[in-house]
Amino acid sequence: MSAPKTSWADDVDELAAEPVSDYIDENGIRVTIEYAMNDEGKKVKITRKIKRTLQKSIVEHTVAERKKWAKFGKERGNKEGPDRATTTVGENVVLKLSAGNKSAEIEPSAEQHIKTELAKAGAGKVVCRLCKGDHFTAKCPYKDSLAGLETADIPTTDDFVPAADVPAAASSGGKYVPPSMRAGARGPGESMNRVGGPGSREDLPTLRVTNISEETQENDLRELFGAFGRVARVYVGRDRETGIGKGFAFVSFEDRAIAQRAMEKLNGKGYDNLILSVQWSHQKGDDHRFLVYQTCTVLYPTLLDDQQYQWESERAICTMRSLVTKLVSMWKLPNDSAVHTVRGATVTIHHARTPQKFNDSTKIQMQPVAYIVSEELVRVSSLLPSNRNRSLLVHSLVSAFGIQSLALPDGQKCIKFLRPRRATSKELLAYHTRDYLDFALNPSNDYEDLSQVAEFGLQDDCPPFKGMQEYIPLVAGATLTAVDAFKENICEVAVCWDGGRHHAQKSHASGFCYVADCILAILALRRLPPSPSSGPPRRSRVMYLDLDLHFSDAVSHAFHNPSVSAMSQVLTLSIHHAAPGFFPVSPLSSLPNPEDALFDPFTLSLPLQKGASCQTFARVWPVIERIKDTFQPDFIVVQCGVDGLAGDPMATWNWSIGGPGSLGWCIDRIVHSWSGKKLLLGGGGYSSPNAARAWAFLTSVAVGDLAIGTSIS
């Protein structure tokens, strides 16, 4: 005998009897387990996991204060903020006010609007075919009584006739007359929208905003620029297929004065971990070549060779060449010891060894290259807001090409991996202030005190981030680990791609840089003994060469001493781009002038214009070689920023990593032809794949193996 079938009600009761499990696991995730019947009539288990994340946002003080007001009425005594059970919190609604108060104006009717548009287009006035009134025939009040009285003396079946004061074009047979041939038209090709006329988009003052992130939306820019005045239009350039932003936008204002003020305030300002570039947008037809150049810098960051830019850079190079001639006479003396006068001060300068000469076939004996890396360093450096995951990509690519497995002729490995140590408080205090370190390294700091956050520069381009307390001592320690390798004679060349932070100031962060590892390394190198072949006893000399697109303001200012009266231990030379408003703005970023009261012969700058290429650096290099030969450094610190390479979002220089005058060409000469110990550091570079390709190639250059080539991808 078969068992009786259960009814659907029994099934419901059975499911209802199943307990619903609801608990919070050890990770703080709420887990809810329940049972239900699927479409096939089978009982299934449904598990829901909910993770709550606390998000903090910065709002106006008045808004924050209003949220803490005591509730009243039926909500009296409840906790602060909206009750999620009874209140739905939606997105902010932006109220867009009109340009003027139009409530007092009479709204024109649809018919009147059409008449006005026809008059503007030069089509003439509206004439009724029945009563000859100034209205449409379909709305004639006499159409019922005059409908059959239409005569042949009406010249056209159209509702409009040419204006009396303007001769009309021929229009026989009731044919349609295009706007370009109507009376008052400006000629063929004219648009009915009157492009270029008053009130058109071409008339609006428009700013071109570059170096914005891919995630930037129109509303983000409208909110940013709307603080200065009414924004008429915002356009963000996007890829047609993927919809990802291309890094540029156009913002139009109704008032040119407001646009000018916005450009002055926002050009060079940090926004979304990038530095904005805000300039006037040229109108179509004004300067076709300028538009082509601007398009190439954003869409295809391989710049056009412009004679004006090349001439400006060449002029700077010639000026620096003349200045170096004066510096040589100031630094180098024919005798081992002689008296020389520098700006009225009589000093004694000791002449050291004669610089060693190299030709293209001469190479310094290769030794293992110290490569600073560890899993902890890669993890922490990859958290940097301006270069997320760049460190991971760089070291992964170096490992993928097997550079670490290459061997020297004597059988030992080309690369010796060194695990970085953490910098001690004493080492960090050698340059940074205690107040800045106490604030930045405090693990319990919630960074809600906006006055202190601004004081220590932890905002805009240098926001606090998770792992910052580990990042600062570890990156500084990584660069100092390379100095330790020199001290113990482990290597002649050391590489630390996670270092090279040349904008961090003594008492605050700046320009994506939280710790001044370059300065800490130079201070440590000064204390090391000089090379045994340096001639008469003297202190060590350190040459700092910065190849980043941006001026090394922190390093140059740290060792700048206009009252120098003897041979300095440190010489800084920065080759960078300089333009009005381009970060960082510093009086030391321009060409040095010996007549200037702030002139220091050991703090040198060579600013280059847009479009600087390998050809430009090939012209610059003899000047650098002469400075090096005259100063005769024992240690060379090279900041190898790659934000000047073609393909970087900065899109300013047209430099490459291969060929004569390239970045690889320069590093090859420094590593294999210059005497002294060399420290190669990272720096800027805001396209992580671009930076990984460049630094992987430079690593192969440092170990003397060019097998991977310059076309790695």
Side-chain angles (χ1 to χ4, degrees):
M1 182 175 180
S2 61
K5 296 183 179 180
T6 59
S7 66
W8 62 269
D10 295 334
D11 294 337
V12 172
D13 292 338
E14 181 182 355
L15 286 176
E18 293 288 346
V20 177
S21 177
D22 189 357
Y23 63 92
I24 298 177
D25 65 9
E26 64 276 4
N27 297 322
I29 300 177
R30 183 170 186 170
V31 180
T32 303
I33 302 176
E34 57 184 357
Y35 298 87
M37 299 294 292
N38 62 9
D39 296 338
E40 299 177 357
K42 297 180 179 180
K43 182 169 65 175
V44 295
K45 178 181 178 182
I46 302 174
T47 303
R48 293 186 177 89
K49 294 184 178 181
I50 302 174
K51 181 179 180 181
R52 294 185 177 181
T53 304
L54 179 62
Q55 295 183 346
K56 294 184 178 180
S57 60
I58 299 176
V59 299
E60 296 289 341
H61 292 287
T62 54
V63 177
E65 181 182 356
R66 187 165 58 249
K67 289 184 178 181
K68 296 181 179 180
W69 286 355
K71 295 185 177 180
F72 56 90
K74 293 184 179 180
E75 292 291 319
R76 183 188 300 274
N78 291 344
K79 63 179 182 179
E80 302 172 352
D83 186 357
R84 299 288 179 176
T86 59
T87 307
T88 301
V89 181
E91 298 181 354
N92 292 333
V93 178
V94 180
L95 178 62
K96 299 180 181 179
L97 300 176
S98 60
N101 183 15
K102 296 186 178 180
S103 59
E105 299 179 5
I106 300 176
E107 188 72 20
S109 62
E111 181 179 348
Q112 188 63 33
H113 177 71
I114 296 175
K115 292 180 179 180
T116 304
E117 292 299 319
L118 290 174
K120 287 183 179 180
K125 60 182 180 180
V126 176
V127 177
C128 176
R129 296 195 303 271
L130 301 178
C131 67
K132 305 297 187 293
D134 59 345
H135 51 258
F136 291 101
T137 305
K139 295 189 176 183
C140 180
Y142 310 104
K143 62 180 180 180
D144 293 337
S145 57
L146 300 178
L149 300 180
E150 297 177 74
T151 58
D153 60 342
I154 306 296
T156 176
T157 59
D158 289 322
D159 275 343
F160 22 84
V161 298
D165 55 343
V166 181
S171 177
S172 60
K175 295 182 179 180
Y176 169 76
V177 180
S180 61
M181 300 182 64
R182 293 175 185 169
R186 295 185 296 176
E190 179 187 38
S191 168
M192 295 182 70
N193 292 329
R194 295 277 186 175
V195 175
S200 69
R201 290 181 176 181
E202 300 292 334
D203 248 9
L204 295 174
T206 302
L207 299 178
R208 188 173 189 276
V209 187
T210 57
N211 201 33
I212 59 177
S213 66
E214 296 177 347
E215 294 80 13
T216 302
Q217 303 295 324
E218 283 81 355
N219 287 340
D220 298 335
L221 295 180
R222 188 178 293 276
E223 180 180 357
L224 177 64
F225 285 85
F228 300 92
R230 177 172 171 78
V231 175
R233 171 178 171 262
V234 177
Y235 170 77
V236 176
R238 301 186 182 282
D239 187 275
R240 292 185 178 180
E241 297 181 357
T242 64
I244 298 176
K246 293 182 177 180
F248 72 97
F250 294 94
V251 180
S252 300
F253 289 85
E254 294 184 351
D255 191 309
R256 189 175 184 85
I258 296 177
Q260 178 69 30
R261 185 165 67 253
M263 181 181 67
E264 294 173 354
K265 294 291 185 181
L266 295 180
N267 186 35
K269 176 182 174 62
Y271 180 74
D272 199 11
N273 298 322
L274 292 173
I275 299 176
L276 296 180
S277 175
V278 184
Q279 303 294 335
W280 286 112
S281 173
H282 284 217
Q283 294 184 3
K284 296 179 181 178
D286 289 349
D287 190 347
H288 176 69
R289 179 165 185 168
F290 179 82
L291 285 180
V292 173
Y293 166 75
Q294 289 289 345
T295 303
C296 287
T297 60
V298 176
L299 302 182
Y300 311 99
T302 301
L303 310 184
L304 302 178
D305 290 331
D306 193 296
Q307 293 182 355
Q308 176 184 359
Y309 294 141
Q310 295 296 334
W311 182 82
E312 291 287 345
S313 296
E314 181 66 22
R315 185 176 63 173
I317 295 170
C318 293
T319 305
M320 177 58 79
R321 187 181 295 114
S322 302
L323 175 61
V324 169
T325 302
K326 296 180 182 180
L327 295 178
V328 167
S329 63
M330 183 181 299
W331 293 340
K332 189 174 181 180
L333 300 175
N335 302 322
D336 288 344
S337 179
V339 177
H340 189 59
T341 301
V342 180
R343 205 186 291 131
T346 302
V347 298
T348 300
I349 299 179
H350 294 279
H351 175 56
R353 70 188 190 280
T354 302
Q356 186 177 358
K357 300 295 183 182
F358 295 93
N359 51 42
D360 293 338
S361 61
T362 305
K363 299 287 184 180
I364 294 178
Q365 180 64 35
M366 288 295 300
Q367 292 186 7
V369 173
Y371 191 91
I372 317 300
V373 67
S374 70
E375 291 183 1
E376 184 182 21
L377 178 63
V378 172
R379 176 183 62 81
V380 174
S381 297
S382 296
L383 298 175
L384 191 65
S386 59
N387 306 110
R388 290 195 181 276
N389 298 321
R390 186 184 69 175
S391 178
L392 177 62
L393 195 59
V394 170
H395 298 296
S396 298
L397 192 60
V398 170
S399 176
F401 278 99
I403 301 175
Q404 70 278 5
S405 62
L406 300 175
L408 295 173
D410 58 2
Q412 61 178 326
K413 296 293 185 181
C414 287
I415 289 184
K416 184 177 181 64
F417 291 99
L418 298 180
R419 181 178 296 274
R421 61 178 177 84
R422 291 176 181 266
T424 64
S425 298
K426 183 178 179 181
E427 289 172 329
L428 293 173
L429 287 170
Y431 177 68
H432 290 292
T433 62
R434 184 175 297 277
D435 289 342
Y436 170 67
L437 294 177
D438 289 345
F439 185 78
L441 299 180
N442 184 1
S444 61
N445 200 337
D446 54 8
Y447 305 105
E448 291 185 353
D449 189 342
L450 298 183
S451 61
Q452 281 195 311
V453 168
E455 177 185 355
F456 297 116
L458 297 177
Q459 58 182 0
D460 295 333
D461 54 349
C462 293
F465 64 96
K466 182 180 179 181
M468 185 176 69
Q469 292 79 14
E470 299 178 84
Y471 173 84
I472 291 177
L474 193 56
V475 168
T479 304
L480 292 176
T481 300
V483 177
D484 296 340
F486 292 154
K487 183 179 180 180
E488 299 173 8
N489 292 319
I490 295 177
C491 62
E492 291 288 324
V493 179
V495 175
C496 181
W497 296 132
D498 294 295
R501 317 313 297 183
H502 61 168
H503 293 311
Q505 303 294 323
K506 189 178 185 68
S507 59
H508 64 273
S510 176
F512 310 139
C513 301
Y514 297 79
V515 60
D517 66 293
C518 299
I519 298 175
L520 296 176
I522 294 173
L523 292 174
L525 289 172
R526 289 198 312 181
R527 296 191 293 269
L528 298 185
S531 172
S533 60
S534 59
R538 62 172 177 81
R539 296 180 297 174
S540 295
R541 295 176 186 167
V542 183
M543 178 178 178
Y544 174 80
L545 177 61
D546 197 297
L547 303 177
D548 197 278
L549 178 69
H550 299 86
F551 172 58
S552 58
D553 56 336
V555 181
S556 298
H557 281 277
F559 298 101
H560 176 250
N561 184 12
S563 61
V564 61
S565 58
M567 179 66 78
S568 175
Q569 276 189 272
V570 179
L571 181 144
T572 63
L573 172 58
S574 176
I575 305 173
H576 54 270
H577 173 67
F582 190 78
F583 181 88
V585 178
S586 169
L588 299 182
S589 65
S590 58
L591 278 170
N593 181 10
E595 305 301 327
D596 193 344
L598 296 177
F599 174 69
D600 177 5
F602 301 101
T603 303
L604 306 178
S605 296
L606 179 53
L608 300 178
Q609 297 297 313
K610 286 185 177 180
S613 60
C614 296
Q615 182 181 3
T616 308
F617 278 85
R619 296 281 294 151
V620 168
W621 203 250
V623 179
I624 302 175
E625 292 274 3
R626 192 173 184 191
I627 293 174
K628 179 266 302 180
D629 290 340
T630 306
F631 185 68
Q632 302 172 33
D634 301 289
F635 303 97
I636 301 101
V637 179
V638 187
Q639 203 268 17
C640 306
V642 293
D643 45 2
L645 295 178
D648 189 88
M650 295 303 299
T652 303
W653 284 352
N654 191 28
W655 210 13
S656 64
I657 61 174
S662 65
L663 178 59
W665 182 87
C666 297
I667 299 301
D668 180 53
R669 274 149 182 75
I670 293 174
V671 172
H672 302 299
S673 299
W674 287 16
S675 59
K677 297 183 178 181
K678 303 95 181 175
L679 172 57
L680 306 183
L681 300 175
Y686 307 103
S687 169
S688 295
N690 214 36
R693 285 191 293 266
W695 286 336
F697 176 69
L698 294 185
T699 304
S700 71
V701 170
V703 301
D705 181 83
L706 305 181
I708 67 174
T710 61
S711 59
I712 59 177
S713 60

